[in-house]
Amino acid sequence: MMRFRSTGFPLALVVLVGGLMPSEVFGQGSIVAWGYDSDGQVSGLPTGTGFTQVVGGWGHSLALRTDGSIVSWGNDSNGQVSNAPPGTGFNQIATRGAHSLALKADGSIVSWGWDGFGQVSNTPAGTGFIQIAAGGYHSLALRADGSIVSWGADSHGQVSSTPSGIGFVQIAAGSRHTLALFNDGSIRSWGRDDDGQVSNTPTGLGHTQVAGGQKHSLALLADGSIVSWGRDTDGEVSNTPSGTGFTQLAGGDNFSLARHPGGALVSWGSDQFGGVSSTPIGSGFTGIGAGSAHSLAIFSASGCTGSVNNYCLASGNSAGTSAGINWGGPVSLDANSAVLNALGAPPLKFGLFFYGANQTQVFLGEGLLCIGGQVKRLQPLVVTDQAGTASLPLDFTQPPFSTGPFAVTPLSTWNFQFWYRDPLGGPAGFNFSDGLEVTFCP
């Protein structure tokens, strides 16, 4: 659990855009894929909309729907497709090699596919996990307290060198190396190091996201700039784009992919199978994933479909979980029937919803402030119930939504978050949910 002291919650804090977590839910959309298509991992993609996350393996792909069901396509030599678990209620998926993982709503993990190193059969039992990641031959999971569990191949210390302790907020894996983001923004790496993918890990604080390629690694800084290290035979490192404002990263075998806040995509590294040159142009992409030699993205439908996208990983609290925020009802201003919901907070505690125009990730209190710049508190204060939930109906015909600097207009995008008291969660006594990005329709 994070430990940051503060005297309270600032109503105005100017910061720059930070990174989104791989565990975010991206909202409704259709899937676009490009790159190597040896087993239909590109051409076999499912049609339709309602997908929230995409990830790629060696020769197969996975997608998560809004109802929590999983779709898999491509190479099935080890049951990567046919053994995908049925049903709904999954909230995260991961793959890299020929095995896959899925995280259920109760925090339990399901694994399937190739099991040559116990990456399936040694999957930990129990609940309480909040994030998963898959390497080429190993897997790992993050608990609510920020501790890490690893299993599978250990030829380069991928498992035995896993750091102990708590306080980690994000995990990622390359082929045979692993990365973890600590709650102070520092990065830990371990595993195979033949190209500096471990030993060249940047020092210092202020990182907000990590991602792994086959033998290279990437990280986002708080201003949305990207740093890369490790193998550079195809420009995986030297061709890393400059500038700020990037919000999500994905690493393939020898290429990488990044997303801008507006949904534009940038790729660099090997272009052997069109992984760079075939990257779709334009904007409106809301999520990305990279396989061995192919890429995937989620695209918002044309016209005003609106969107509701979670971002920014929430930290653990005294209730033994992490608080989330979601949207109830349509995003239509004319319908005017939306409700903000918070869940997973400690019971019977004061809280408030607030919103603003900018995204960030700043450690504050016992968690992450996910909204940068000026924010507006929504009245009234709420009190969580015995289940740790709270709700606030929204009326877009009244201030602050109807007029002034926080007016919500058609096609505008605003970010919402929930602040709550948590005296038992740490010395600061308060924490935050994850963030919620909402694009509104007329």
Side-chain angles (χ1 to χ4, degrees), residues 29-35 41-43 45-48 51 54-55 61 63 73 257 265 278-281 283-290 294-300:
S30 56
I31 301 173
V32 178
W34 65 101
Q41 61 265 50
V42 172
S43 56
L45 60 85
T47 59
F51 295 98
V54 286
V55 293
S61 302
W73 66 99
L257 183 66
L265 306 180
S278 296
T279 303
I281 61 175
S283 60
F285 295 94
T286 58
I288 55 176
H294 70 287
S295 300
L296 307 105
I298 300 173
F299 183 66
S300 291

Side-chain angles (χ1 to χ4, degrees), residues 38-70:
S38 59
D39 296 280
Q41 61 265 50
V42 172
S43 56
L45 60 85
T47 59
T49 60
F51 295 98
T52 64
Q53 187 189 359
V54 286
V55 293
W58 284 341
H60 75 290
S61 302
L62 296 172
L64 187 66
R65 294 184 185 272
T66 53
D67 64 357
S69 61
I70 299 170

Side-chain angles (χ1 to χ4, degrees), residues 42-422:
V42 172
S43 56
L45 60 85
T47 59
T49 60
F51 295 98
T52 64
Q53 187 189 359
V54 286
V55 293
W58 284 341
H60 75 290
S61 302
L62 296 172
L64 187 66
R65 294 184 185 272
T66 53
D67 64 357
S69 61
I70 299 170
V71 180
S72 184
W73 66 99
N75 187 288
D76 195 33
S77 58
N78 291 278
Q80 305 97 302
V81 176
S82 56
N83 289 337
T88 60
F90 296 95
N91 58 24
Q92 189 182 145
I93 50 177
T95 188
R96 180 166 199 90
H99 72 286
S100 302
L101 304 90
L103 186 67
K104 289 185 176 181
D106 64 358
S108 61
I109 303 170
V110 177
S111 300
W112 67 99
W114 185 41
D115 193 33
F117 296 93
Q119 58 267 54
V120 173
S121 55
N122 290 336
T123 300
T127 60
F129 296 99
I130 62 172
Q131 191 181 142
I132 51 176
Y137 311 89
H138 71 290
S139 301
L140 62 156
L142 184 69
R143 291 193 176 100
D145 64 359
S147 60
I148 301 171
V149 179
S150 301
W151 65 99
D154 195 33
S155 57
H156 299 274
Q158 304 99 299
V159 175
S160 56
S161 296
T162 301
S164 60
I166 62 176
F168 293 96
V169 296
Q170 192 226 328
I171 51 176
S175 180
R176 291 180 175 91
H177 72 285
T178 310
L179 305 98
L181 184 67
F182 200 61
N183 58 20
D184 61 1
S186 61
I187 302 171
R188 310 287 197 274
S189 297
W190 65 99
R192 188 170 183 170
D193 193 34
D194 52 337
D195 285 279
Q197 60 265 50
V198 172
S199 54
N200 289 337
T201 300
T203 59
L205 312 179
H207 301 95
T208 61
Q209 185 185 144
V210 289
Q214 185 183 50
K215 291 188 178 184
H216 71 286
S217 302
L218 309 95
L220 273 181
L221 291 166
D223 63 357
S225 59
I226 304 170
V227 57
S228 302
W229 65 99
R231 187 175 65 183
D232 195 32
T233 54
D234 293 284
E236 301 97 312
V237 175
S238 55
N239 289 339
T240 301
S242 58
T244 60
F246 293 97
T247 59
Q248 190 191 2
L249 302 172
D253 273 7
N254 50 4
F255 71 96
S256 298
L257 183 66
R259 183 170 68 92
H260 279 286
L265 306 180
V266 177
S267 298
W268 68 99
S270 174
D271 195 35
Q272 182 180 4
F273 302 103
V276 175
S277 57
S278 296
T279 303
I281 61 175
S283 60
F285 295 94
T286 58
I288 55 176
S292 179
H294 70 287
S295 300
L296 307 105
I298 300 173
F299 183 66
S300 291
S302 60
C304 185
T305 58
S307 64
V308 178
N309 309 314
N310 286 86
Y311 69 97
C312 186
L313 186 67
S315 63
N317 56 37
S318 63
T321 183
S322 54
I325 183 172
N326 64 40
W327 187 268
V331 295
S332 167
L333 298 179
D334 291 339
N336 197 30
S337 58
V339 178
L340 279 174
N341 302 302
L343 63 160
L348 306 178
K349 294 294 184 291
F350 284 104
L352 63 87
F353 293 92
F354 60 100
Y355 73 110
N358 301 313
Q359 294 183 9
T360 189
Q361 290 188 44
V362 175
F363 296 111
L364 185 65
E366 304 301 325
L368 288 172
L369 175 64
C370 302
I371 303 177
Q374 291 188 332
V375 299
K376 184 67 176 180
R377 294 186 296 184
L378 296 176
Q379 300 295 335
L381 291 173
V382 296
V383 178
T384 58
D385 62 16
Q386 289 285 358
T389 64
S391 298
L392 181 69
L394 305 179
D395 185 354
F396 295 109
T397 67
Q398 300 296 318
F401 300 114
S402 60
T403 186
F406 291 91
V408 176
T409 57
L411 303 183
S412 66
T413 298
W414 293 90
N415 306 288
F416 296 82
Q417 196 172 13
F418 183 66
W419 170 95
Y420 59 95
R421 293 287 299 163
D422 190 12

